[in-house]
């Protein structure tokens, strides 16, 4: 969803507490987390205890197929069984150490990656799914399917976040509706399906640039509308 850093951990955690977080990028065909986290080009190492994830900070580690490709632009053309095998390896053969949280970034839809992750984690006490959408109906159509997927597989829905709900001009701070919520947006969908609506994040081009460059927008843009909205969502939980 968004880059998580040590600073974010300290924001979420009680005073004096730092969480140890692992991020698993299960988007096999389009791994983006290495770039977003600023560790593009890093390599994973194999040892007697398994693969070692890439550490972004002392308390934040990441595993992605992006680290195993010869070049960032290499295409991964795999059928379902090979994807499933790779996700199983990520979950069972990576030396994550002692984690407080393992966050799994999945691609859109209800494909092999989602089924594999739920299947392999079912016995571990899966906390739930955090679902992200944008306001327009084209996105909500897919998200409704995702919520139905969670219901059928008994995955609790932590809540829904509406991303890019408004555009906030970085100069004049004027708010504009880039993606019109013709059917009421995420709020109406959550009301109809009786799932929690956690909040909305505005579209911020500077934040997008930070993600492209692998920079920590929470540290660089602490007063931006997007960071303020994100902190409000965290505080509300």
């Amino acid at each position: 969803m968004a880059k998580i850093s040590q600073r974010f951990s300290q924001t979420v955690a009680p005073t004096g507490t730092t969480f140890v977080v692992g991020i698993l990028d299960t988007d096999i065909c389009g791994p983006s987390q290495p770039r977003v986290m600023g560790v593009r080009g890093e390599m994973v190492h194999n040892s007697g205890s398994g693969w070692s994830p890439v550490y972004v900070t002392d308390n934040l580690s990441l595993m992605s197929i992006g680290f195993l490709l010869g070049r960032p632009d290499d295409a991964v053309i795999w059928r379902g069984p090979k994807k499933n095998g790779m996700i199983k390896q990520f979950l069972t053969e990576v030396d994550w150490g002692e984690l407080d949280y393992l966050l799994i970034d999945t691609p859109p839809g209800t494909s092999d990656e989602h089924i594999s992750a739920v299947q392999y984690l079912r016995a571990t006490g899966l906390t739930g799914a955090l679902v992200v959408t944008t306001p327009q109906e084209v996105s909500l159509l897919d998200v409704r399917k995702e919520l139905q997927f969670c219901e059928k597989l008994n995955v609790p829905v932590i809540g829904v976040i509406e991303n890019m709900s408004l555009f906030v001009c970085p100069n004049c701070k004027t708010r504009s509706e880039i993606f019109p919520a013709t059917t009421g947006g995420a709020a109406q969908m959550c009301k109809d399906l009786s799932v929690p609506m956690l909040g909305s994040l505005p579209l911020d081009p500077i934040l997008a640039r930070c993600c492209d460059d692998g920079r920590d927008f929470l540290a660089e843009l602490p007063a931006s509308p997007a960071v303020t909205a994100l902190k409000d969502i965290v505080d509300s939980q």
Side-chain angles (χ1 to χ4, degrees):
M1 183 186 108
K3 181 177 177 183
I4 301 174
S5 67
Q6 185 175 23
R7 299 169 187 81
F8 180 68
S9 298
Q10 292 168 342
T11 300
V12 175
T15 303
T17 303
T18 300
F19 291 139
V20 180
V21 178
I23 299 178
L24 175 55
D25 184 0
T26 64
D27 193 342
I28 302 298
C29 295
S32 59
Q33 287 301 323
R35 179 164 197 154
V36 172
M37 303 298 288
V39 288
R40 191 180 182 190
E42 295 289 335
M43 302 291 292
V44 297
H45 302 283
N46 203 352
S47 66
S49 56
W51 281 337
S52 297
V54 171
Y55 279 84
V56 182
T57 64
D58 290 342
N59 68 320
L60 178 63
S61 58
L62 170 66
M63 188 63 188
S64 170
I65 196 174
F67 297 132
L68 307 177
L69 301 178
R71 298 178 305 165
D73 295 334
D74 285 349
V76 180
I77 307 173
W78 288 358
R79 294 185 184 274
K82 197 166 184 180
K83 287 183 181 181
N84 297 342
M86 179 57 69
I87 292 172
K88 185 176 182 179
Q89 280 187 278
F90 283 160
L91 291 171
T92 61
E93 299 181 21
V94 174
D95 184 14
W96 293 102
E98 294 293 328
L99 295 176
D100 294 305
Y101 297 99
L102 176 63
L103 308 180
I104 301 177
D105 179 29
T106 63
T110 54
S111 54
D112 296 310
E113 292 87 344
H114 303 78
I115 298 170
S116 297
V118 173
Q119 176 186 346
Y120 296 136
L121 292 173
R122 189 185 301 276
T124 65
L126 185 63
T127 303
L130 180 65
V131 182
V132 181
T133 185
T134 50
Q136 72 273 34
E137 182 59 25
V138 170
S139 177
L140 294 171
L141 284 171
D142 290 339
V143 170
R144 289 189 187 96
K145 294 180 176 67
E146 185 73 42
L147 293 172
Q148 188 181 57
F149 169 90
C150 292
E151 181 182 0
K152 288 185 175 181
L153 293 186
N154 296 316
V155 177
V157 176
I158 298 171
V160 175
I161 292 178
E162 185 177 71
N163 197 17
M164 297 186 283
S165 58
L166 293 169
F167 169 69
V168 181
C169 176
N171 296 317
C172 65
K173 306 303 179 185
T174 299
R175 294 172 174 258
S176 304
E177 191 178 72
I178 302 296
F179 302 109
T182 55
T183 59
Q188 185 61 47
M189 179 192 69
C190 289
K191 182 178 179 181
D192 293 342
L193 300 180
S194 299
V195 296
M197 173 72 180
L198 301 183
S200 300
L201 300 177
L203 174 62
D204 189 332
I206 301 178
L207 184 154
R209 195 174 306 130
C210 284
C211 290
D212 279 345
D213 296 339
R215 292 182 285 129
D216 184 354
F217 71 86
L218 293 172
E220 296 195 19
L221 307 168
S224 72
V227 172
T228 300
L230 180 59
K231 289 180 177 178
D232 287 344
I233 292 173
V234 172
D235 291 343
S236 70
Q237 301 306 304

